[in-house]
Amino acid sequence: MSKSASTLFDKVWDSHVVRKIEDGPDVFFIDRHFIHEVTSPVAFLGLEQRGLKVIFPERTFATADHNTPTINQDKPVKDPLSANQLAALERNSAKYGISHWGLGNPKNGIVHVVGPENGITLPGMTIVCGDSHTSTHGAFGAIAFGIGTSEVEMVLTSQCIMQPKPKKMRINVNGKLQKGVLPKDVVLYIIAKLTAAGATGYFVEYAGDVFRNMSMEGRMTVCNMSIEMGARGGMVAPDETTFEYIKGKDKAPKGEAWDKALAYWKTLKTDEGATFDLEYNFDAADIEPMITYGTNPGMGIGISKHIPTAAEVGGGKSTYEKSLGYMGFHEDDAMIGKKVDYVFIGSCTNGRIEDFRAFASIIKGRKKADNVTAWIVPGSHIVEQQIKDEGILDILTEAGFQLRQPGCSACLAMNDDKIPAGKYAVSTSNRNFEGRQGPGARTLLASPLVAAAAAVTGVVTDPRELLQEA
Amino acid sequence: MAYDKFTVLRSTAVPMPIENVDTDQIIPARFLKATERKGFGDNLFRDWRYNNDDSPKQDFVLNNPIYSGKILVAGKNFGSGSSREHAAWAIYDYGFRCVVSSFFADIFKGNSLNIGILPVTVSPEFLEKIFTAIEADPKTELEVNLPEQKITILASGENESFAINGYKKHNMINGFDDIDYLQAMKAEIKTFADASMY
C-alpha cells in the first residue's frame, strides 16, 4: 500500500477536523445542518438557557416533516402538540435567521428528500441532522449521519460536534441485478447478511458495479438504510451520475463555482491500495426481491423463502421468539401469500420519484385489492409535482388509489397515519420495530415493487410475476 | 445541558435480557412531541410496560417490584434505531444512571454520555454472569467505578474492566459537557469556517 493512499471517507473526514483531542474525540466541523420540528426545540431551549447564539445560521436548514399531516395541509394542524412543535420550529428559525420550509412552502418535504433535490447536499460535505436517516446524504460522497439533541445544540452554537472517527468498512456488490430487484432489495439483503448490529462502529463505503450503475435515488435508498445495520453512515463515491443529478439544482454551485467544485469532487474517491478495517463482497445475482418477517431490519429474506427457524438464526432465541410472536408468524412459514391490510409507499427511504415510477409500473392497468388500505405519500412537494406531471397520478387514480401530501407519515406514525394494532403493513420505509408504525402495528419492509404487488393482490406477492413488459 | 457528576455508583439493577432493544421501544415516537426535556420517564418502555387501557403489564420487568435500582442491564445491541435523544432522557428521567450491555448502538451511546448516563460495555460472558446473579438474587448489587473503569458484582467480587474515552471520562467525573469545551474554541472554529470550501 502506498503511504499516501487514502479512502474517500478519510479524505472527507480528515479535511473537517478542527482539532484532535488526545485520547478523545475529534472536533469535527459540519458544513450543513438540517433541523426538523421534533429533535430541535430542546436544543434551542438549551441555547437560550446558556445565553448562546447560532454561530452560522446560513449553514442550517429547517423543514417540517415528522409531525405533519398528509391531508388538508392548508388547514391548521389538529394535534395541539404537533402544532406546538411546528410553531416552535418556525419561531426559532425566524429568531435566529435560519431558512425554514414549513407546511405549505413549495419546497417543503422530508428533510432527506429536500436537501438533495434542492442542491443543498453536495459531495465532500459533512452533514448532520437530529435524525438517524441523515445517512441518506452519503449517496453524494458526503459524510452524513444522525445526531442527538445535545449535538444539535452543539452544532447550532459552534458548527462542530465532538466525534471519534469511526472504523472503515467497504461493501462491494458486483455483477448484474436480476429483473425486479431494486436498490431497496440490495440494502435489505446486505442488512440481512450483516445483521442489525453488523456495522456498528463503522462508516461504510458502498462500491462495485451495482452502485456505480445505480441512480442517485437508488444510492440514497441504500445509504439511507446504513443505520439499520448499525453503521454511523454509508457513502458512495461521486461520479458523473452524481454531477449530472446536482447540475442546475436550485442551490447547486453555478458558473465558475461549479467548475471549481467539480474539480474538487473528482478527487473524492478511494485511492488504489487504500485499506479498510473490514470488507465484504456480495454477488448481485444472489439477490432477489426481499421482505422482512421480524421486528428489526436485519430479519429479512428473499421473498420466495421461508422464515428461518430459531436454530438457523442462532443466538438470542428468546428474542427471536418474542419477535415472531409479535408478528404473529411462525418458524418456517412461507412469506408469499400472507395477507396484507395496509401498504405504505413513501418515507426518506422510498419517497422519491423513481420509487413512484416503480410502484406505478405494476399498478398500471390493475385495481387496488379491496382488503388493502394504501397510503401513497410523496417525499416532497417537488416529488408530488413530478408524480402529477409524469401521469403517475392518473395511473394511481384509475387503480383506485389516492395520493396524499408529503411528510414522514406512517414511517414513524407521529401524525395520524398509524397502522392499527395487529394489522399487517407492507412498507417501503426503513424500520419494522415493534409499534413503529403505530402501537401494535406489524410491518413488513419491502421495495416499491413488492409494495405494489401487495397493493393489487392483497397478499405478499413476488413482484416478478406481475412485471409488465416495457 | 450540564448534568450530575458520575464517579462510583453502587446499586441493585434491573435485568432486561432482550437483544436489539431499539429506541422506538425505549420511547415510542408518539411521545416525542414535547418541546421541553421533562416527564419522559413516565413513558419509558411504554408499550412493553402498559396495556392499551394504561394498566401495567404484570410480566414486564419495570412492573416487577422485586427489581429496582439505578442500573439497567440489557441484552446485546441496546439502543439501536433512531437518533432520538429522548430515549436517553427517558432512561435518565426514570432514574437510571448507568446501562450495562455487551454492545450498544453508536448514537445511543453518544447521547447517553452527553446527558450523564454511563453506558458500560462488558463481555458477553460477564453480562451473563450479571444476569445469572440477579436471577439468583434480585438484591444483587453492582458497583460501577468510573475512575477505575471497573464493574463488580459485589456479592461474589467478580469484576471486569470497561473502556471509556479519556475525554468523556473526564467530562462525566466533573459534570462538564461538550458545549463548554466548544465555546472556548470559537475563534479557531471561525478561522476554520472561513477557509472551508462550502
Side-chain angles (χ1 to χ4, degrees), chain A residues 147-159:
Chain A
I147 56 174
T149 296
S150 293
E151 290 168 311
V152 172
E153 190 180 335
M154 282 176 219
V155 180
L156 287 172
T157 189
S158 70
Q159 209 60 40

Side-chain angles (χ1 to χ4, degrees), chain A residues 188-467:
Chain A
L188 283 173
Y189 177 85
I190 294 170
I191 301 167
K193 289 285 181 190
L194 268 61
T195 80
T200 302
Y202 291 88
F203 210 98
V204 176
E205 180 177 343
Y206 298 99
D209 311 338
V210 164
F211 304 109
R212 288 270 70 82
N213 294 332
M214 215 176 252
S215 67
M216 286 313 292
E217 284 90 348
R219 294 177 191 180
M220 283 188 253
T221 299
V222 171
C223 290
N224 172 279
M225 296 281 287
S226 303
I227 185 71
E228 307 308 338
M229 51 185 170
R232 207 69 174 92
M235 67 201 306
V236 177
D239 58 10
E240 289 304 323
T241 303
T242 321
F243 311 144
E244 196 55 39
Y245 179 94
I246 295 168
K247 199 165 191 178
K249 292 268 188 296
D250 191 27
K251 292 187 185 295
K254 310 263 181 343
E256 265 182 52
W258 171 264
D259 296 338
K260 189 176 161 221
L262 193 61
Y264 168 60
W265 296 345
K266 286 183 174 172
T267 69
L268 295 173
K269 56 187 168 205
T270 293
D271 299 329
E272 196 81 29
T275 55
F276 290 80
D277 299 291
L278 196 55
E279 192 147 5
Y280 290 98
N281 291 288
F282 298 109
D283 184 348
D286 293 341
I287 307 173
E288 66 169 322
M290 297 285 293
I291 195 152
T292 64
Y293 58 87
T295 55
N296 74 58
M299 300 174 82
I301 49 174
I303 195 162
S304 67
K305 306 276 196 311
H306 287 223
I307 295 174
T309 62
E312 283 168 335
V313 295
K317 187 166 185 285
S318 63
T319 304
Y320 187 74
E321 284 168 354
K322 181 179 189 303
S323 178
L324 287 193
Y326 179 86
M327 293 301 292
F329 291 159
H330 303 92
E331 294 180 330
D332 211 30
D333 278 0
M335 288 305 291
I336 287 188
K338 286 204 176 294
K339 187 169 163 283
V340 173
D341 306 298
Y342 283 76
V343 167
F344 170 58
I345 174 162
S347 84
C348 59
T349 312
N350 285 118
R352 298 180 181 80
I353 185 60
E354 190 176 278
D355 303 312
F356 295 95
R357 286 179 193 143
F359 188 78
S361 73
I362 281 187
I363 302 299
K364 191 172 184 181
R366 296 196 166 93
K367 292 284 177 205
K368 183 183 88 66
D370 290 339
N371 61 305
V372 167
T373 302
W375 288 333
I376 300 172
V377 186
S380 70
H381 280 302
I382 291 178
V383 173
E384 182 182 27
Q385 194 56 47
Q386 288 172 309
I387 289 172
K388 291 174 182 167
D389 293 346
E390 295 187 13
I392 293 171
L393 179 60
D394 298 333
I395 294 171
L396 297 177
T397 309
E398 280 164 25
F401 295 98
Q402 281 183 324
L403 186 67
R404 298 173 84 90
Q405 291 169 302
C408 295
S409 181
C411 176
L412 83 167
M414 276 195 80
N415 66 358
D416 289 337
D417 302 347
K418 291 176 176 56
I419 312 295
K423 298 292 183 188
Y424 291 95
V426 171
S427 294
T428 65
S429 50
N430 38 56
R431 288 187 175 141
N432 50 352
F433 298 153
E434 288 186 26
R436 171 75 178 180
Q437 297 197 272
R442 292 156 159 172
T443 299
L444 284 61
L445 300 176
S447 77
L449 285 179
V450 174
V456 294
T457 61
V459 294
V460 174
T461 301
D462 190 330
R464 289 172 292 192
E465 292 169 13
L466 303 183
L467 282 176

